[in-house]
Amino acid sequence: MEERILSFREKARKAGLKLTPQRLAVYKELISRTDHPGAEELYESLKEKIEGISLTTIYRTLASLERAGLVIRVPTLRDKVRYDARTEPHSHFVCLECGRVYDMDCDFKENLKLSEIPEGFEVKSCSLVCYGICKECNSSNK
Amino acid sequence: MEERILSFREKARKAGLKLTPQRLAVYKELISRTDHPGAEELYESLKEKIEGISLTTIYRTLASLERAGLVIRVPTLRDKVRYDARTEPHSHFVCLECGRVYDMDCDFKENLKLSEIPEGFEVKSCSLVCYGICKECNSSNK
DNA sequence: GTGGGTGCAAAGACTTTGCAAGACG
DNA sequence: CGTCTTGCAAAGTCTTTGCACCCAC
């Protein structure tokens, strides 16, 4: 956690991002959670911690952090955009019922036949997502 | 193509969906294209072919077809939802610049270690998506 | 015939933008 | 101190919903 903050400071600086309390708070919140929150959820948590923070700032901060490679979007198939501060390749499980997003450690990268990517295309990242029904929903459906 | 329409009729019937000209048109349009259109793009094409078709109907049709398992959503990381009538597992390449979506035939399923899925979770489908810059954008950036 | 489907208009959810004031480096 | 960032409000984009009419089965 501490080291991630340090790395954050450095990466942010490299990307030309000023280190504001808002940005630090958003990033800290994101690495402290495993539920892959969207802008609204981050706002709900942070408005108690950072006085006067606005939803707009959350959105803008997430966009900046994404551009700087400090956070990634999670492909949920749903309307709302969710974010993840784990930027190393890993997988996600998305519940089609409640929308919860879980981390998975499926290592798909090593098995991937990247030879199938057509010439002229440049792959920057890959994402494996499984969709289904999560434990919570499975048990409450009974 | 013809066989897909036949299978469509049957699956639609099984799902309790009435076979309206609008639904058939949406499905036909979707299987005839490889660019994974969203509701708006489908509407633009179809309003010339089906007199008086509405955007609302496109949205509702896509929702019905998705529920019936006849089309799937493509996880693009972007705002707009795109659809694909190829429901068998395959992969996609999403261009981060222009938003175009391409099909890929990476066969990741057989290599996937599904053992890593936690107990109580039920996987219904998986999706592998590569994000990057497509051929078009790569060449126009020069 | 009748229950689901359609079209229109309006509402809704999420996200972005313009602008003036403020803060980081 | 200048430039990037913030907060507020308003606008924008995509999608869903209510309601009356219509059509496939």
Side-chain angles (χ1 to χ4, degrees):
Chain A
M1 168 92 178
E2 257 325 303
E3 63 204 84
R4 298 192 70 182
I5 300 291
L6 287 176
S7 145
F8 173 75
R9 290 178 179 279
E10 185 165 339
K11 282 191 183 169
R13 192 163 35 76
K14 276 186 188 165
L17 296 179
K18 288 186 181 173
L19 220 60
T20 64
Q22 292 90 335
R23 285 182 176 161
L24 195 53
V26 168
Y27 186 71
K28 271 187 175 172
E29 182 72 18
L30 218 35
I31 59 180
S32 77
R33 304 171 59 153
T34 59
D35 63 342
H36 313 79
E40 188 70 45
E41 290 98 320
L42 289 167
Y43 177 61
E44 285 306 314
S45 302
L46 291 175
K47 69 180 180 187
E48 298 162 2
K49 302 175 186 172
I50 305 286
E51 198 239 341
I53 196 169
S54 71
L55 226 203
T56 303
T57 296
I58 310 275
Y59 275 109
R60 283 199 271 232
T61 297
L62 289 170
S64 303
L65 297 185
E66 190 186 5
R67 244 176 279 124
L70 285 157
V71 303
I72 57 173
R73 293 184 180 211
V74 184
T76 61
L77 285 188
R78 299 189 154 218
D79 35 1
K80 206 172 45 176
V81 178
R82 285 162 168 267
Y83 286 88
D84 193 339
R86 276 183 74 184
T87 54
E88 76 277 11
H90 64 292
S91 314
H92 292 107
F93 179 95
V94 177
C95 181
L96 295 170
E97 196 161 312
C98 65
R100 283 192 191 87
V101 178
Y102 302 83
D103 281 314
M104 287 195 315
D105 284 310
C106 276
D107 186 0
F108 62 92
K109 258 274 174 75
E110 63 185 24
N111 290 321
L112 200 57
K113 280 183 272 175
L114 288 180
S115 58
E116 310 200 23
I117 289 160
E119 191 163 1
F121 287 71
E122 181 188 343
V123 172
K124 295 203 166 172
S125 67
C126 287
S127 160
L128 174 66
V129 186
C130 295
Y131 303 92
I133 307 298
C134 78
K135 196 172 186 173
E136 299 292 327
C137 289
N138 259 333
S139 52
S140 63
N141 281 346
K142 282 167 191 164
Chain B
M1 169 91 177
E2 258 325 303
E3 63 203 87
R4 300 191 70 182
I5 300 291
L6 286 175
S7 143
F8 173 75
R9 288 178 180 278
E10 186 165 338
K11 282 191 184 169
R13 192 163 34 79
K14 275 187 188 163
L17 298 179
K18 289 186 182 172
L19 219 61
T20 65
Q22 292 90 337
R23 284 181 177 162
L24 195 53
V26 168
Y27 186 71
K28 271 187 174 173
E29 181 72 19
L30 218 36
I31 58 179
S32 76
R33 301 170 60 153
T34 58
D35 62 341
H36 313 80
E40 189 69 45
E41 290 97 323
L42 289 167
Y43 177 60
E44 286 306 313
S45 302
L46 291 175
K47 69 180 179 187
E48 298 162 2
K49 302 175 186 172
I50 305 286
E51 198 239 340
I53 196 170
S54 73
L55 226 202
T56 303
T57 295
I58 309 275
Y59 275 108
R60 283 199 271 230
T61 297
L62 289 169
S64 304
L65 297 186
E66 189 186 7
R67 244 177 279 123
L70 285 158
V71 304
I72 58 173
R73 292 183 181 213
V74 184
T76 62
L77 285 187
R78 298 188 154 218
D79 35 2
K80 205 172 44 175
V81 178
R82 285 163 168 266
Y83 287 88
D84 194 338
R86 279 183 71 184
T87 53
E88 76 276 11
H90 63 292
S91 314
H92 291 108
F93 178 96
V94 177
C95 180
L96 296 170
E97 196 161 311
C98 66
R100 283 193 191 88
V101 178
Y102 302 83
D103 281 313
M104 287 195 314
D105 283 309
C106 278
D107 185 1
F108 61 92
K109 257 269 172 88
E110 63 186 23
N111 290 320
L112 202 57
K113 282 182 271 175
L114 288 180
S115 58
E116 309 200 24
I117 290 160
E119 190 162 2
F121 287 72
E122 180 190 342
V123 172
K124 296 203 165 173
S125 67
C126 286
S127 162
L128 174 66
V129 186
C130 295
Y131 303 93
I133 308 298
C134 78
K135 197 172 184 173
E136 299 291 327
C137 289
N138 259 333
S139 51
S140 63
N141 282 345
K142 281 167 191 164

